[in-house]
Amino acid sequence: MSFNASSIVASTKLSALLEKLHALSSAQENSYSQSFFYLTRLGRYLLFGESWSAGADDHMRDKFVALEPDKCQFVYLLARSMGALNIVEAGTSFGVSTMYLALAVGQNVAQASAGGGVATKGKVIATEKESTKAERAKEYWKEAGEEVEPWIELREGDLLETLKVEEGMPEKIDLLLLDIWTPMALPTLKIIQPRLRRGAVVIADNVVMSKILYKEFLTYIRSPENGFKTMTVPYSGGLEVSVYLPDDQSE
Ligand SMILES: C[S@@+](CC[C@H](N)C(=O)[O-])C[C@H]1O[C@@H](n2cnc3c(N)ncnc32)[C@H](O)[C@@H]1O
């Protein structure tokens, strides 16, 4: 899926940067070696129950694994339509999807603050455990400039720790993007869930392609007692889009 500048409100400079980074990511993802890596991961899970490894982290250290442009643009439009001000991104890598989230937050803040009154606040909390990836993400955000950079707070380190830090964490979260190694999806959701506002959206990538690896997460989010209404949207690999409606459940 190619980049479509008409889906987002962005400067020509930012659109060009996003298009370039998506192209770099897609070249990596479409390589034989990357397909082999994903097949090996699945094989190791089926044979040994190994869902991730230090070797897999080594392999992924120089990979973008960016969310595809159509998914990024869908998430951007969703964030704009719901006026999302506070977003958590689990899994930032080189910060491509983060730029769409930050763009949406910045524009939502501007809209909410328009006409005077109290200035509205908002931010994207980005998370990355690999310091080299975090550094590169910061460089791209700097290059992107004012449309993006001011709206991001990057929490470096293991998100199972960094997302528990209260300081700077908004009381209510509007949107959670789970673009993370599959074993982290459910633990991350459980950290953020107490802060999800009613009607908040949770998005998880590749739930069809990695269905086996997402088993616990999908069982949880599809169980009505946990408060979500959810569906799989047919983007490549399957995108799970869930809305937090804790008081609206029916069996
Ligand atoms: C699929 S990539 C994210 C891609 C990014 N959302 C984008 O579209 O550009 C997942 C990232 O999560 C990071 N990650 C994995 N486990 C993590 C953890 N426990 N804490 C923080 N980051 C983690 C990986 O290093 C990797 O860069």
Side-chain angles (χ1 to χ4, degrees):
M1 174 51 68
S2 58
F3 179 81
N4 177 6
S6 69
S7 304
I8 57 171
V9 179
S11 65
T12 315
K13 177 185 136 189
L14 178 57
S15 292
L17 175 63
L18 291 169
E19 187 167 13
K20 180 183 90 175
L21 299 182
H22 278 301
L24 290 172
S25 178
S26 141
Q28 288 179 335
E29 289 302 299
N30 294 336
S31 68
Y32 286 117
S33 61
Q34 196 62 357
S35 303
F36 180 72
F37 169 79
Y38 290 128
L39 273 176
T40 308
R41 291 285 356 127
L42 186 60
R44 292 191 72 83
Y45 178 75
L46 293 173
L47 287 172
F48 312 117
E50 181 190 282
S51 51
W52 200 253
S53 70
D57 272 337
D58 290 341
H59 173 87
M60 286 304 223
R61 203 157 284 126
D62 65 345
K63 306 293 184 301
F64 275 84
V65 253
L67 205 62
E68 295 91 327
D70 55 350
K71 294 177 188 166
C72 285
Q73 289 155 15
F74 172 70
V75 176
Y76 163 85
L77 286 173
L78 203 54
R80 290 300 314 273
S81 75
M82 63 193 290
L85 296 173
N86 292 301
I87 297 180
V88 173
E89 177 183 64
T92 288
S93 188
F94 297 146
V96 177
S97 52
T98 329
M99 291 200 254
Y100 288 88
L101 300 174
L103 189 65
V105 165
Q107 291 167 356
N108 287 338
V109 167
Q111 193 174 316
S113 310
V118 184
T120 306
K121 290 183 179 168
K123 67 172 139 180
V124 178
I125 296 188
T127 54
E128 181 50 58
K129 70 171 180 171
E130 301 288 349
S131 56
T132 51
K133 287 191 143 192
E135 282 316 305
R136 218 159 123 190
K138 283 190 265 184
E139 284 167 23
Y140 290 137
W141 299 335
K142 192 170 184 190
E143 186 178 342
E146 285 298 298
E147 284 169 288
V148 161
E149 197 184 21
W151 306 106
I152 303 171
E153 175 189 320
L154 175 62
R155 297 191 173 196
E156 281 188 53
D158 182 351
L159 58 77
L160 296 184
E161 299 306 322
T162 62
L163 286 180
K164 287 180 187 155
V165 175
E166 295 275 333
E167 196 186 335
M169 181 59 81
E171 209 173 299
K172 292 284 171 205
I173 303 295
D174 300 298
L175 194 152
L176 169 64
L177 174 60
L178 295 164
D179 191 19
I180 191 82
W181 310 154
T182 49
M184 311 299 293
L186 184 54
T188 307
L189 175 61
K190 286 189 174 171
I191 294 173
I192 297 301
Q193 188 170 351
R195 293 181 188 271
L196 290 180
R197 68 136 156 109
R198 187 183 161 67
V201 173
V202 176
I203 294 175
D205 188 33
N206 271 333
V207 293
V208 174
M209 192 174 92
S210 303
K211 191 176 168 188
I212 306 174
L213 298 165
Y214 265 124
K215 191 165 172 272
E216 288 177 356
F217 169 80
L218 291 174
T219 301
Y220 181 87
I221 210 152
R222 289 172 182 168
S223 302
E225 67 270 20
N226 294 319
F228 293 93
K229 286 294 171 196
T230 186
M231 69 185 296
T232 309
V233 183
Y235 281 104
S236 151
L239 196 70
E240 194 73 7
V241 179
S242 313
V243 181
Y244 190 50
L245 295 168
D247 307 322
D248 285 12
Q249 301 302 312
S250 59
E251 292 297 317

